[in-house]
C-alpha cells in the first residue's frame, strides 16, 4: 500500500502520468492525485501528463492545466504512474519516469509489470481511482478531488455494474457522495453522454457486426475510411464494445478499429468464463479478465480468426472442465 503523505516528504516537484489513450479511470485518478497534492501540500508543484483530454472530463478540477505536449525536458523529484500497466503504456511520458528522483506506481491491472521504484498493484480493486482514494487521508479530500475519483470508479465499473465492483467500492462511493458531489450529473455527463457522430458510428458498428461460433462471439469493426467519413477519432469509439457485449447469447464481444495498413486495435469484453486478458496478453496486449485489448496485425479475416481461435479454445476447455 502507498500513502501519499509519506511519499511527499522532501519532495518539491511531482509529475503524474497515466496511460496512452486515457480513459475515465486514468484521467480521474491523475486529476484527483494532482488536486489533492496541490490543495494539501502548497509547497509542491505538480504537472499532469496525459496524451489527450476527453472534453467530457474538462469540468474536473485541474483538467485545463493537463499537459498534452510532452516535448519539454523537465526533471521531477517524484514521478507517479496511475492506471498504467507497463512503461510502454506511459507513452512518451516515460522520459519523466526515467529522469525522476523516485517513482511510484498505483494500478489495478493484473498484468502490471511493477516498473516503478515502489509499486502498489491491487488487481482486486475496481479501479485505480479506488486505490488513489485509499492513498489519501480521507478528511483532506475536497469535493473537487472526490468528483475526479468518482469519475474513475464509475468509468471502470460501468457505473457499479461490472463484477469488479465490491463492497469496498460502494463504501468509497458512499463517502464520495458524502463530500457533496453531484453524482447523477457526473454519471450522465461522463458515462452516458455521446455526441451525434459518436452515436452514428456506434450505429454503424452495430449494423455491420457479425456473429460467430453459434452466436457466442460478436465482432464489430470500424475502418479508417469510416472514421474519416464521420470525422471521429479513437476516443469517439469508446463504448462500442460494451454495446456489442450486451447482445443476448454472446460470450465475448470483439471490437476492432483500423489504425493502419493491416493493423487493428482490438477491444475484447467477456460475459462469461472466457479470460480475455489471457487472449490479449498472447498477442502482446493486456487488461482485465473481462475487459482487455491488444494490437493485431494482418487482414481483418486473419485478425478475427486468430482471436476467435483462442476464445473457442477457452470455451471448449471450460465445457470439458
Ligand atoms: Mn483502470
Amino acid at each position: 500500500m502507498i500513502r501519499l503523505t509519506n511519499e511527499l516528504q522532501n519532495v518539491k516537484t511531482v509529475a503524474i502520468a497515466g496511460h496512452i489513450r486515457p480513459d475515465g479511470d486514468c484521467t480521474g485518478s491523475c486529476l484527483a492525485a494532482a488536486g489533492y497534492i496541490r490543495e494539501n501540500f502548497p509547497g509542491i508543484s505538480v504537472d499532469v501528463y496525459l496524451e489527450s483530454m476527453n472534453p467530457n472530463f474538462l469540468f474536473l478540477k485541474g483538467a485545463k492545466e493537463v499537459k498534452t505536449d510532452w516535448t519539454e525536458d523537465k526533471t521531477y523529484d517524484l514521478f507517479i504512474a496511475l492506471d498504467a500497466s507497463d512503461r510502454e503504456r506511459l507513452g512518451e511520458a516515460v522520459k519523466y519516469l526515467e529522469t525522476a528522483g523516485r517513482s511510484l506506481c498505483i494500478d489495478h491491472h493484473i498484468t502490471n509489470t511493477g516498473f516503478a521504484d515502489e509499486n502498489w498493484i491491487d488487481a482486486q480493486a475496481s479501479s485505480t481511482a479506488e486505490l488513489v482514494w485509499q492513498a489519501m487521508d480521507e478528511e483532506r479530500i475536497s469535493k473537487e478531488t472526490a468528483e475526479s475519483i468518482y469519475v474513475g470508479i464509475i468509468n471502470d465499473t460501468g457505473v457499479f455494474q461490472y463484477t469488479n465492483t465490491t463492497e469496498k467500492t460502494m463504501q468509497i462511493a458512499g463517502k464520495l457522495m458524502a463530500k457533496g458531489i453531484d453524482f447523477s450529473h457526473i454519471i450522465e455527463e461522463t458515462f452516458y453522454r455521446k455526441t451525434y457522430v459518436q452515436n452514428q458510428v456506434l450505429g454503424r458498428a452495430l449494423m455491420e457486426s457479425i456473429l460467430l461460433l453459434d452466436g457466442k462471439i460478436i465482432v464489430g469493426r470500424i475502418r479508417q475510411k469510416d472514421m474519416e467519413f464521420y470525422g471521429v477519432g479513437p476516443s469517439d469509439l469508446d463504448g462500442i464494445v460494451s454495446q456489442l457485449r450486451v447482445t443476448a447469447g454472446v460470450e465475448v464481444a470483439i471490437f476492432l478499429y483500423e489504425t493502419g495498413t493491416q493493423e487493428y486495435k482490438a477491444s475484447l469484453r467477456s460475459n462469461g468464463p472466457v479470460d480475455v486478458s489471457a487472449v490479449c496478453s498472447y498477442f502482446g496486449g493486456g487488461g482485465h479478465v473481462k475487459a482487455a485489448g491488444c494490437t493485431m496485425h494482418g487482414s481483418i479475416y486473419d485478425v478475427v480468426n486468430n482471436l476467435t481461435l483462442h476464445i473457442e479454445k477457452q470455451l471448449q476447455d471450460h465445457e470439458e472442465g
Side-chain angles (χ1 to χ4, degrees):
M1 176 158 193
I2 286 175
R3 303 283 308 167
L4 284 177
T5 306
N6 302 340
E7 305 297 338
L8 296 168
Q9 312 283 337
N10 304 318
V11 165
K12 287 272 164 274
T13 55
V14 176
I16 301 174
H19 56 75
I20 49 175
R21 287 204 63 218
D23 59 8
D25 185 28
C26 171
T27 306
S29 295
C30 288
L31 292 176
Y36 178 84
I37 297 170
R38 286 175 186 141
E39 287 164 13
N40 295 294
F41 304 85
I44 299 178
S45 93
V46 186
D47 288 331
V48 176
Y49 292 92
L50 290 171
E51 189 185 37
S52 57
M53 218 23 239
N54 182 325
N56 291 349
F57 304 142
L58 277 176
F59 73 95
L60 294 172
K61 190 176 179 186
K64 295 185 183 74
E65 287 80 57
V66 166
K67 292 178 183 290
T68 50
D69 175 2
W70 303 344
T71 49
E72 199 181 351
D73 283 323
K74 261 178 104 171
T75 54
Y76 295 89
D77 297 335
L78 182 67
F79 180 94
I80 307 176
L82 298 174
D83 205 36
S85 52
D86 58 44
R87 284 168 174 263
E88 288 67 42
R89 293 280 287 159
L90 289 169
E92 286 176 46
V94 73
K95 70 181 180 187
Y96 304 116
L97 165 81
E98 279 159 0
T99 55
R102 201 174 130 70
S103 60
L104 305 176
C105 171
I106 302 177
D107 187 27
H108 68 128
H109 290 92
I110 199 161
T111 49
N112 192 296
T113 54
F115 55 87
D117 294 328
E118 196 175 335
N119 302 279
W120 182 26
I121 318 302
D122 182 355
Q124 303 304 314
S126 71
S127 51
T128 297
E130 190 178 310
L131 299 173
V132 167
W133 159 275
Q134 292 170 72
M136 297 171 172
D137 301 325
E138 192 181 326
E139 65 283 357
R140 296 168 94 181
I141 297 174
S142 67
K143 179 185 166 192
E144 289 75 20
T145 297
E147 287 175 342
S148 292
I149 294 171
Y150 198 78
V151 164
I153 293 176
I154 61 170
N155 179 88
D156 272 25
T157 60
V159 194
F160 312 110
Q161 182 198 351
Y162 308 147
T163 51
N164 61 358
T165 309
T166 64
E167 185 179 349
K168 194 177 211 169
T169 312
M170 302 309 279
Q171 283 163 350
I172 293 172
K175 288 177 175 181
L176 293 169
M177 286 168 80
K179 296 278 181 186
I181 63 169
D182 188 349
F183 55 90
S184 178
H185 180 77
I186 292 172
I187 291 169
E188 185 66 35
E189 291 298 320
T190 67
F191 196 80
Y192 291 107
R193 176 75 62 236
K194 280 191 185 292
T195 64
Y196 179 63
V197 285
Q198 284 169 351
N199 259 337
Q200 279 191 310
V201 82
L202 164 67
R204 176 77 178 260
L206 297 178
M207 210 162 60
E208 295 180 351
S209 65
I210 55 164
L211 291 173
L212 300 170
L213 214 71
D214 296 327
K216 292 194 182 79
I217 299 175
I218 189 166
V219 183
R221 68 114 166 226
I222 292 290
R223 302 172 192 83
Q224 273 192 325
K225 63 177 185 185
D226 303 325
M227 293 174 71
E228 281 159 27
F229 177 80
Y230 292 104
V232 296
S235 65
D236 295 305
L237 309 176
D238 289 348
I240 293 180
V241 71
S242 306
Q243 193 59 43
L244 290 166
R245 184 189 69 81
V246 299
T247 311
V250 160
E251 292 284 357
V252 175
I254 301 174
F255 175 63
L256 303 163
Y257 73 87
E258 196 180 14
T259 48
T261 310
Q262 305 247 318
E263 189 185 88
Y264 289 87
K265 179 86 179 69
S267 296
L268 277 70
R269 296 290 182 274
S270 171
N271 281 330
V274 176
D275 175 356
V276 289
S277 160
V279 176
C280 291
S281 293
Y282 180 85
F283 295 106
H288 311 284
V289 173
K290 296 196 177 232
C294 55
T295 300
M296 299 290 290
H297 299 272
S299 71
I300 184 76
Y301 305 102
D302 291 340
V303 167
V304 171
N305 263 327
N306 287 334
L307 288 170
T308 52
L309 271 174
H310 282 257
I311 295 163
E312 191 176 1
K313 174 88 174 54
Q314 278 201 39
L315 283 170
Q316 277 168 356
D317 290 349
H318 178 74
E319 277 160 28
E320 286 161 13

